[in-house]
Amino acid sequence: MSTDLTRTAILRAAERLYADRGFGEVTLRDIVAAADVNLAAVNYHFGSKDELIAELFVTRSIALNRERLNELKAAEAEGNGRAPIEAVLRALIGPTLRGCLGPGSERSDAARFMIRASIETIPPIRKIKNREIDHLRKFAAAMRRSLPGKSDEDIYWGLHFALAMAHQTVRDSERLTRLSDGKCDVDDVIGVIERVVAVATLALTGGGAAGSEKTAARRR
Amino acid sequence: MSTDLTRTAILRAAERLYADRGFGEVTLRDIVAAADVNLAAVNYHFGSKDELIAELFVTRSIALNRERLNELKAAEAEGNGRAPIEAVLRALIGPTLRGCLGPGSERSDAARFMIRASIETIPPIRKIKNREIDHLRKFAAAMRRSLPGKSDEDIYWGLHFALAMAHQTVRDSERLTRLSDGKCDVDDVIGVIERVVAVATLALTGGGAAGSEKTAARRR
DNA sequence: TTGCTTTTCAAACGTGTGTATGAAACTATC
DNA sequence: GATAGTTTCATACACACGTTTGAAAAGCAA
């Protein structure tokens, strides 16, 4: 079986290219050129371009979800089944941010690929993505255990906002750097994680009621 | 001159299709079919597909930025040059959210198109986008006026997070709805705006130090 | 009307794409 | 070393895309 060198060469090249340029801008010929294999190899090993993308996405999804859940489990074990909300949030957004940010060498194609996949929704990925909801529900449940007082609505909004901040920081790190003239250092991965966790925690706990029912008036 | 009916028919159809399906999934033939005009009309009136997209984006950018700035100016005028931070944030994210969320009829293709454009960065748009930074700087300045004590770093992170939350709420409203089994109502536009504003305000003011220098330790 | 410009239209062109083919090269088992 | 199975390769195919073309139609001034 020999671990199929060609197969993995294609996978790695495709992942890197998709992460760098996005799905729309990468052709099969780009991939085989980068992997230094023949054009027909993709269809031979994967069947089609879409199946290649799907395999990539499924593999990485599973790995990311496992990493998140491992961190969550560890945190909950440490607190006898109830982790502080900060730890839950850290388990949720840490893996992606650690993989995507940071100076050069330590950036992972895998994490950046997943961000791309979550942005550019293309057909082969769309179907698989539904499972993510089940995964996120586990985090919602953990958050509920951490904050027994909070309503489901607030929990879900907090989860949503935490992902939004982490996500956009990866996506638009360049804009933030330029906008702030380098004052916001997205290469300080731990700092970014703590900042997102802090804000999300505030959103969930701070002020008491951060939008708890009063859709009332306001706004001119 | 007659207002060039064909031209605007193409623009409207293109905007709607791009907003619905994204740039990668819409062909010129789709557009002319929806606009009920001949295929060659696009090249005749706009020169190329990219120029059509660029015109669409420039027009809508200007309109959105003007709307934001008008709200900002109004808020600052009301407070003699210094608006409460909530009002500044509301001026920043309100226009987009009002245009994108809400039940059916009141959703605007324009706002949804702009969200698409901010997600799927395609060549014709990339170049123009740099101007957005200058626009956002005006909001950073207004925020600095509202919160004289805060560091630039915190200001920019707050701006960034506010946009992130608003943005992702539009992009992934469906996921949030499904995840929360409808408990999070994204059709309650005012409620969503106030929630984002509240969290962003907390991020900027709450807790005192939401990540103010201590990159120290934490996290295994 | 006439003559000129502007706009529409059907059809075709060239290119880049994902995919298929069939022969050649390789690998392993007997 | 011959044979069968697997993998590679150059090449070609079919198709969809953005764009071009040249003629027909419409608009409009005199």
Side-chain angles (χ1 to χ4, degrees):
Chain A
M1 170 181 309
S2 79
T3 74
D4 230 328
L5 210 62
T6 303
R7 243 186 96 92
T8 68
I10 293 173
L11 284 171
R12 288 212 203 293
E15 184 167 51
R16 199 175 66 77
L17 288 174
Y18 284 138
D20 285 346
R21 305 187 208 161
F23 294 103
E25 316 284 316
V26 175
T27 162
L28 267 191
R29 284 166 175 83
D30 292 336
I31 295 173
V32 298
D36 199 34
V37 300
N38 186 271
L39 174 59
V42 173
N43 289 280
Y44 177 76
H45 284 283
F46 298 93
S48 71
K49 186 193 188 186
D50 281 3
E51 289 175 84
L52 164 63
I53 295 177
E55 173 165 338
L56 219 34
F57 181 70
V58 168
T59 306
R60 294 311 188 189
S61 270
I62 292 173
L64 173 63
N65 290 354
R66 183 165 42 210
E67 196 180 343
R68 281 174 169 168
L69 285 178
N70 280 345
E71 279 197 44
L72 176 61
K73 286 220 173 82
E76 292 205 314
E78 205 171 330
N80 293 334
R82 189 172 302 180
I85 183 66
E86 288 91 345
V88 177
L89 292 168
R90 223 176 271 125
L92 179 68
I93 66 164
T96 298
L97 286 178
R98 278 198 305 278
C100 290
L101 298 179
S105 63
E106 63 186 272
R107 297 170 60 164
S108 106
D109 294 338
R112 284 161 55 238
F113 171 85
M114 287 302 288
I115 291 289
R116 282 284 183 193
S118 76
I119 294 169
E120 303 176 27
T121 306
I122 55 175
I125 287 183
R126 201 159 338 187
K127 310 167 195 167
I128 311 169
K129 229 182 193 172
N130 293 339
R131 302 180 206 166
E132 199 195 357
I133 300 234
D134 293 326
H135 178 248
L136 292 182
R137 264 191 240 275
K138 295 177 188 165
F139 276 85
M143 291 166 68
R144 225 176 277 121
R145 285 193 289 274
S146 297
L147 302 169
K150 276 288 161 185
S151 72
D152 278 8
E153 187 189 1
D154 286 344
I155 292 280
Y156 286 118
W157 274 110
L159 174 60
H160 172 74
F161 284 155
L163 284 173
M165 290 184 283
H167 198 102
Q168 171 112 331
T169 301
V170 172
R171 254 187 23 82
D172 251 351
S173 64
E174 194 197 327
R175 185 181 76 181
L176 177 60
T177 302
R178 287 231 313 261
L179 178 64
S180 69
D181 271 326
K183 281 170 194 140
C184 297
D185 180 14
V186 291
D187 285 341
D188 171 17
V189 184
I190 300 176
V192 173
I193 292 175
E194 290 311 311
R195 199 176 272 270
V196 173
V197 167
V199 174
T201 301
L202 269 177
L204 282 158
T205 66
S212 42
E213 280 306 326
K214 43 83 223 188
T215 300
R218 212 54 241 249
R219 188 82 216 92
R220 58 135 171 226
Chain B
M1 164 180 314
S2 80
T3 75
D4 230 328
L5 210 62
T6 303
R7 241 186 98 92
T8 68
I10 292 173
L11 284 170
R12 288 212 204 293
E15 184 167 52
R16 199 175 66 78
L17 288 174
Y18 284 138
D20 284 346
R21 305 186 207 162
F23 295 103
E25 316 284 315
V26 175
T27 163
L28 227 42
R29 285 168 172 84
D30 292 336
I31 296 173
V32 298
D36 200 34
V37 302
N38 186 271
L39 174 59
V42 172
N43 289 280
Y44 177 78
H45 285 282
F46 298 91
S48 70
K49 186 192 189 186
D50 281 4
E51 290 175 84
L52 164 63
I53 294 177
E55 172 163 341
L56 219 35
F57 182 69
V58 169
T59 307
R60 294 312 188 187
S61 270
I62 293 173
L64 172 62
N65 290 355
R66 183 167 40 212
E67 196 179 345
R68 281 174 170 168
L69 285 179
N70 280 346
E71 279 197 44
L72 176 62
K73 286 221 173 80
E76 292 206 313
E78 205 170 331
N80 292 333
R82 190 173 300 180
I85 182 65
E86 288 90 347
V88 178
L89 293 168
R90 223 175 272 126
L92 180 67
I93 65 163
T96 299
L97 286 178
R98 280 199 303 278
C100 290
L101 297 180
S105 63
E106 62 186 271
R107 298 170 59 163
S108 105
D109 294 338
R112 284 162 55 238
F113 170 85
M114 289 301 289
I115 291 288
R116 283 282 183 193
S118 76
I119 293 170
E120 302 176 29
T121 307
I122 56 175
I125 287 184
R126 202 159 338 189
K127 312 168 195 169
I128 312 168
K129 229 182 194 173
N130 294 339
R131 302 179 207 167
E132 198 195 358
I133 299 233
D134 294 325
H135 178 250
L136 292 182
R137 264 189 240 276
K138 295 177 189 165
F139 276 87
M143 290 166 68
R144 223 177 279 122
R145 286 192 289 275
S146 297
L147 303 169
K150 276 288 161 186
S151 72
D152 279 7
E153 189 190 359
D154 286 343
I155 292 280
Y156 286 117
W157 275 110
L159 174 60
H160 172 74
F161 285 154
L163 284 173
M165 291 184 283
H167 198 100
Q168 172 111 332
T169 301
V170 171
R171 252 187 25 81
D172 252 351
S173 64
E174 193 197 328
R175 185 181 75 181
L176 177 59
T177 303
R178 286 233 311 261
L179 177 64
S180 70
D181 271 326
K183 282 172 193 136
C184 297
D185 180 14
V186 291
D187 285 341
D188 170 18
V189 184
I190 300 175
V192 172
I193 292 176
E194 289 310 311
R195 198 176 272 269
V196 173
V197 167
V199 174
T201 301
L202 269 176
L204 282 158
T205 66
S212 42
E213 280 307 326
K214 44 79 225 192
T215 300
R218 210 56 240 248
R219 190 86 216 90
R220 54 133 168 242

